[in-house]
Amino acid sequence: MKMRIYAILLAILFLGGCAKDTEIGKIMVPGADYTLPQGGDVTADQRILKLYETYGSYFLYEFSEKDFNWTQISGSLGDDIFRFDPIEPGKVANLLDLLQLTWFDFYDQ
């Protein structure tokens, strides 16, 4: 008797899996969160675009504190170590010069 019940349940499961599938529809892929150039400083924007083309990374100077504090795991250790200090667009070129000397000069093009 138990075997019949198990066989019937198993048959129902297998036959239920053969039901007609409904189409999911068109899947919308979200666009990029950030757009370059950001428009604060023309010379800095040109350099940032070249960095994006070279390294494939965004170098942003206009972002929100929410963007800065984003983590994949909330409440992880060390969330309060870094500070958020926005930079003025006119000073971005100086920061890029500093990054060039201390970071980019050590990488191959």
Side-chain angles (χ1 to χ4, degrees):
M1 182 68 171
K2 277 187 173 182
M3 284 305 273
R4 278 192 187 172
I5 293 173
Y6 289 135
I8 291 172
L9 287 174
L10 190 62
I12 290 173
L13 287 174
F14 278 119
L15 293 175
C18 295
K20 184 177 180 182
D21 290 337
T22 57
E23 190 170 327
I24 294 175
K26 186 175 181 180
I27 298 174
M28 301 299 292
V29 178
D33 292 336
Y34 302 105
T35 57
L36 294 177
Q38 290 187 296
D41 184 8
V42 176
T43 57
D45 284 339
Q46 291 173 350
R47 288 178 64 186
I48 289 173
L49 281 172
K50 284 184 73 174
L51 289 172
Y52 178 74
E53 292 169 1
T54 304
Y55 300 107
S57 295
Y58 287 102
F59 293 87
L60 304 173
Y61 56 89
E62 290 183 6
F63 52 89
S64 67
E65 187 171 358
K66 182 179 177 183
D67 292 333
F68 179 77
N69 290 325
W70 182 87
T71 59
Q72 288 183 336
I73 303 171
S74 63
S76 63
L77 297 175
D79 282 348
D80 58 348
I81 293 174
F82 301 105
R83 277 187 36 214
F84 170 72
D85 288 328
I87 188 170
E88 298 172 19
K91 296 181 180 179
V92 174
N94 293 338
L95 181 62
L96 290 174
D97 290 337
L98 177 68
L99 287 174
Q100 184 69 43
L101 290 172
T102 60
W103 192 12
F104 300 131
D105 284 345
F106 295 105
Y107 288 96
D108 291 334
Q109 294 297 321

